[in-house]
Amino acid sequence: MNRNRSKFILLRDDDANFFTSPAALEQAYGFLFQRGLPLNFSVIPLVNTAATTQSKDFGPDTYEPFLPPDVAGPDQTYSLADNQPLVNFLQKLPNKEILQHGCEHKGDRQLYEFEATAPELLRCKLALGGDILAAAFGRRPTVFVAPQDQLSTPAYAMVAEQFQVLSLGWIDRRRLPIKLWPAYFSMKLRQRNYCRDRWHDLLITQHPGCVFSPFRNTRTELARLDDYVRRHDFTVIVSHHWEFFDRHGQWRQELHDLFKHKMLELAQACTFITFSELARQLAR
Ligand SMILES: [Zn+2]
């Protein structure tokens, strides 16, 4: 990428699902919508209310915090397409990209959803999730985000066949097919945050981890983010709209103020884009 070109920011919101209200997204990102800045929504097509996380932040086997406490528990699925106000809200946003965030966001035992290895199961999940999003938004997403950014080697191979971009936290070499290891080592050598699967024309991107979270020291994280932005041509910033609310639904004003301030500062110096736009930029 041309060093003189403006740096790019990709804001990726994760976990919007059947239970998400447009009001929550508006409260978190309205200031960006007003300014016409593009966002990338990594949405869960068919959320399962038994989905759990193994995150240290919440403790093992905690129900996913994006599930309202009064619905979490039963092994039931809910299609995003059945939340028409949310679909309409997202559909009307002029600058956005819809990404496929797994299928149910529910794994099996200690494994996250796309750490599964059975080809038939993976194929089914990818197809079902894609069908739901295609029906809701009129087109099948070309960008995939695995729940918890984790996926197995077989899942990787299937995603590579079907998507143009895979957005990951960090690229785990051990989970890449061996033929991609040279591309991985080249990425490391050049200190880049992306590599390309040229067999499938797939762009694989990394991000610097969650910065805006009540579980982090946000001020320390902001310094780390600034350094990351300085060192890379583009930065994927992952945020979760639900983290701006506490367990009781109370708004975390201080966290959001830090988020808003940093986003507006970055918008002065960088260009906010979608993942599809990034793929086009890197292909030039
Ligand atoms: Zn997620």
Side-chain angles (χ1 to χ4, degrees):
M1 203 186 272
N2 186 340
R3 281 276 154 200
N4 296 321
R5 191 182 293 153
S6 165
K7 286 176 182 284
F8 296 110
I9 300 292
L10 296 94
L11 184 55
R12 188 187 105 187
D13 172 75
D14 283 6
D15 301 328
N17 66 79
F18 171 82
F19 295 103
T20 305
S21 74
L25 296 181
E26 181 67 42
Q27 197 167 352
Y29 305 122
F31 71 98
L32 296 168
F33 302 150
Q34 284 163 18
R35 289 164 174 84
L37 295 169
L39 259 83
N40 299 273
F41 288 97
S42 164
V43 302
I44 306 170
L46 188 65
V47 69
N48 190 313
T49 47
T52 54
T53 175
Q54 305 301 324
S55 161
K56 290 191 193 82
D57 294 339
F58 301 97
D61 294 324
T62 307
Y63 288 116
E64 282 284 6
F66 56 70
L67 293 168
D70 56 334
V71 304
D75 190 356
Q76 285 172 7
T77 54
Y78 296 82
S79 170
L80 181 97
D82 292 332
N83 183 342
Q84 205 54 47
L86 177 65
V87 171
N88 292 344
F89 176 84
L90 290 171
Q91 193 70 301
K92 280 187 189 149
L93 289 175
N95 291 317
K96 50 91 183 27
E97 180 158 18
I98 303 296
L99 326 180
Q100 182 173 343
H101 191 28
C103 181
E104 298 185 21
H105 210 298
K106 175 185 173 292
D108 186 20
R109 283 159 288 177
Q110 303 295 303
L111 295 179
Y112 289 122
E113 186 177 29
F114 276 79
E115 291 186 296
T117 53
E120 226 15 77
L121 176 69
L122 292 165
R123 203 180 316 278
C124 196
K125 282 177 176 287
L126 283 177
L128 181 57
D131 286 349
I132 289 170
L133 298 183
F137 298 108
R139 71 188 287 262
R140 195 170 277 272
T142 58
V143 183
F144 187 76
V145 177
Q148 269 80 19
D149 281 325
Q150 299 294 326
L151 75 178
S152 65
T153 308
Y156 170 84
M158 223 166 278
V159 166
E161 281 170 14
Q162 298 181 27
F163 291 85
Q164 291 170 3
V165 183
L166 170 61
S167 171
L168 283 172
W170 56 285
I171 301 171
D172 184 346
R173 176 175 58 81
R174 295 162 304 173
R175 294 197 172 185
L176 289 179
I178 290 174
K179 66 180 180 180
L180 277 186
W181 287 13
Y184 173 87
F185 289 124
S186 168
M187 172 189 85
K188 286 290 192 192
L189 206 62
R190 296 170 189 215
Q191 301 187 333
R192 283 180 170 168
N193 56 350
Y194 67 96
C195 76
R196 195 177 283 286
D197 176 344
R198 61 189 173 85
W199 286 272
H200 299 99
D201 198 19
L202 175 78
L203 173 67
I204 312 166
T205 64
Q206 298 190 137
H207 66 70
C210 284
V211 174
F212 301 97
S213 164
F215 298 102
R216 308 278 173 276
N217 179 332
T218 305
R219 290 179 196 280
T220 312
E221 291 292 310
L222 284 171
R224 196 171 62 79
L225 176 64
D226 286 344
D227 182 55
Y228 187 96
V229 171
R230 226 180 346 262
R231 289 187 293 107
H232 296 92
D233 291 326
F234 71 87
T235 301
V236 176
I237 298 176
V238 175
S239 81
H240 302 102
H241 56 275
W242 50 264
E243 285 201 282
F244 294 118
F245 300 85
D246 72 13
R247 276 192 317 128
H248 310 289
Q250 293 298 307
W251 181 242
R252 291 182 160 128
Q253 187 68 50
E254 192 186 346
L255 179 65
H256 191 262
D257 284 347
L258 290 168
F259 172 71
K260 181 175 176 180
H261 182 264
K262 179 50 71 179
M263 289 306 112
L264 294 180
E265 184 187 286
L266 286 170
Q268 296 289 319
C270 309
T271 307
F272 279 54
I273 58 172
T274 61
F275 279 91
S276 289
E277 177 61 21
L278 176 72
R280 282 193 290 275
Q281 292 285 347
L282 291 175
R284 283 181 186 173

